[in-house]
Amino acid sequence: MALTGASDPSGEAEAGSGEKPFLLRAVQIALVVSLYWVTSISMVFLNKYLLDSPSLQLDTPIFVTFYQCLVTVLLCKSLSALATCCPGTVDFPALRLDLKVARGVLPLSVVFIGMITFNNLCLKYVGVAFYNVGRSLTTVFNVLLSYLLLKQTTSFYALLTCGVIIGGFWLGVDQEGAEGTLSLMGTIFGVLASLCVSLNAIYTKKVLPAVDGSIWRLTFYNNINACILFLPLLLLLGELRTLWDFAQLGSADFWGMMTLGGLFGFAIGYVAGLQIKFTSPLTHNVSGTAKACAQTVLAVLYYEETKSFLWWTSNFMVLGGSSAYTWVRGWEMKKLQEDPSPKEDEKSTVGV
């Protein structure tokens, strides 16, 4: 297992991969994509169980998020120690807590906390089937914030795809309301989660130099900061008292599920990077969209739900708009590489 801390995990391994037989290459890609799908879908269903299971009856979403961050910190330190003690076993950066670096990462950590907390709160209040639609505005916020914060314009065709996503989101909200399953709180948390995901992507690029460009060091500091900042929230919201009165507090099965949730949270970052390494960023986004579709279908079947035609239409609008945006941006990047200095009258960008 190779866990790289560099921002670009490619290297000699990829150079040599071009010499591998097509069949072997295809099998590797299939396994990596399958691993990503299984990890991601399992994490969502497990988190839904921990956050809103009638059999568990545990109303501590902040503690669940805090514990997952704690598991990530412990895993990072364990892998770092293993890489130091047994060189060659895993490729993981050395981790040493530097308070100056932790303070430098803190603003991003606040956004990171908002992202993971609002994600879990959204999942707590909405069904797994609606979860993807509820958090579907990330692409729209990417476009909006790129203009407001980075002054980057977006092409007309990309804006059209964003319009399709917004239309799918509103139709999905309308249909959830028509079926009597709409959670206004869950929807609001989903929108806030989308906003934080976009902010996290933008500010991660600015903070990476503080951790020598290492994603794993950034993960370590983000989760340490999160654990510290979650503690006063646990006290203020009374979740520690709720946890103390929890009937299954001493259950090994409960803590096993909690720890497994943390493992999935840690693993998803690795397998996502692995999928990009063996395919491409574009293929990774397409795979994520297909995974979201499969996850929605599985949720409807597992929870034995019946959805209307318009409800399914909203999902396809969101997934289709997201896929179209990915394709448009990929096409624009390819065109820019082929013709890096287009004439002014050939540019098709408009201000948002």
Side-chain angles (χ1 to χ4, degrees):
M1 178 175 66
L3 294 171
T4 61
S7 56
D8 181 11
S10 61
E12 295 179 1
E14 278 204 340
S17 64
E19 301 174 1
K20 294 179 181 177
F22 172 77
L23 182 59
L24 177 60
R25 178 75 173 161
V27 170
Q28 285 180 329
I29 292 175
L31 289 174
V32 168
V33 172
S34 298
L35 180 62
Y36 171 75
W37 279 41
V38 170
T39 303
S40 181
I41 294 176
S42 299
M43 180 179 68
V44 171
F45 276 89
L46 179 57
N47 280 346
K48 181 62 177 177
Y49 169 78
L50 293 171
L51 293 164
D52 189 40
S53 171
S55 61
L56 199 61
Q57 294 184 338
L58 177 64
D59 187 20
T60 57
I62 303 299
F63 176 76
V64 171
T65 312
F66 161 80
Y67 187 81
Q68 291 175 347
C69 290
L70 181 62
V71 170
T72 297
V73 170
L74 295 176
L75 283 171
C76 285
K77 284 298 292 183
S78 298
L79 288 170
S80 177
L82 182 61
T84 303
C85 297
C86 306
T89 306
V90 292
D91 183 11
F92 203 86
L95 297 177
R96 180 179 60 85
L97 182 59
D98 186 327
L99 294 181
K100 183 178 179 181
V101 175
R103 286 194 298 269
V105 174
L106 186 59
L108 174 64
S109 297
V110 173
V111 176
F112 172 75
I113 289 170
M115 179 181 71
I116 58 177
T117 302
F118 291 136
N119 265 328
N120 277 350
L121 287 173
C122 174
L123 185 57
K124 174 178 173 60
Y125 289 104
V126 306
V128 176
F130 184 67
Y131 183 55
N132 287 306
V133 173
R135 301 180 308 117
S136 62
L137 297 182
T138 299
T139 299
V140 178
F141 281 122
N142 282 342
V143 171
L144 185 60
L145 293 176
S146 292
Y147 178 73
L148 293 176
L149 300 179
L150 306 176
K151 304 304 178 184
Q152 294 178 354
T153 56
T154 303
S155 71
F156 175 72
Y157 294 111
L159 290 177
L160 281 180
T161 65
C162 290
V164 174
I165 295 172
I166 294 173
F169 172 79
W170 282 113
L171 180 60
V173 170
D174 176 74
Q175 289 304 298
E176 282 286 302
E179 295 180 4
T181 55
L182 176 66
S183 168
L184 181 59
M185 288 294 294
T187 304
I188 292 174
F189 286 136
V191 173
L192 291 174
S194 299
L195 174 61
C196 289
V197 169
S198 298
L199 286 171
N200 185 73
I202 290 173
Y203 285 111
T204 292
K205 296 178 181 178
K206 295 184 177 182
V207 173
L208 269 175
V211 290
D212 301 322
S214 171
I215 291 295
W216 289 117
R217 285 196 182 98
L218 183 59
T219 299
F220 175 68
Y221 279 105
N222 262 340
N223 283 276
I224 279 187
N225 286 339
C227 288
I228 295 171
L229 294 175
F230 273 135
L231 290 175
L233 283 176
L234 292 173
L235 291 171
L236 289 173
L237 297 175
E239 290 199 4
L240 291 180
R241 170 57 61 182
T242 303
L243 188 67
W244 181 259
D245 296 332
F246 179 51
Q248 300 184 46
L249 183 60
S251 169
D253 290 340
F254 165 69
W255 288 108
M257 297 292 275
M258 288 282 287
T259 303
L260 185 60
L263 288 171
F264 278 133
F266 176 84
I268 192 62
Y270 172 62
V271 295
L274 199 64
Q275 182 170 242
I276 293 172
K277 179 179 179 180
F278 276 87
T279 58
S280 68
L282 177 61
T283 304
H284 170 67
N285 287 332
V286 172
S287 173
T289 302
K291 186 275 304 180
C293 181
Q295 180 177 293
T296 300
V297 173
L298 284 173
V300 170
L301 294 174
Y302 180 77
Y303 294 107
E304 299 180 347
E305 298 173 342
T306 302
K307 299 298 183 182
S308 67
F309 173 77
L310 287 178
W311 186 93
W312 285 107
T313 301
S314 72
N315 276 266
F316 285 119
M317 286 178 67
V318 166
L319 297 174
S322 300
S323 296
Y325 177 83
T326 299
W327 182 86
V328 168
R329 293 298 291 169
W331 175 75
E332 290 174 349
M333 291 298 294
K334 182 179 179 181
K335 186 177 180 181
L336 186 62
Q337 291 173 355
E338 294 175 350
D339 185 13
S341 301
K343 298 178 181 179
E344 288 297 322
D345 58 354
E346 292 179 350
K347 292 182 180 179
S348 59
T349 58
V350 296
V352 182

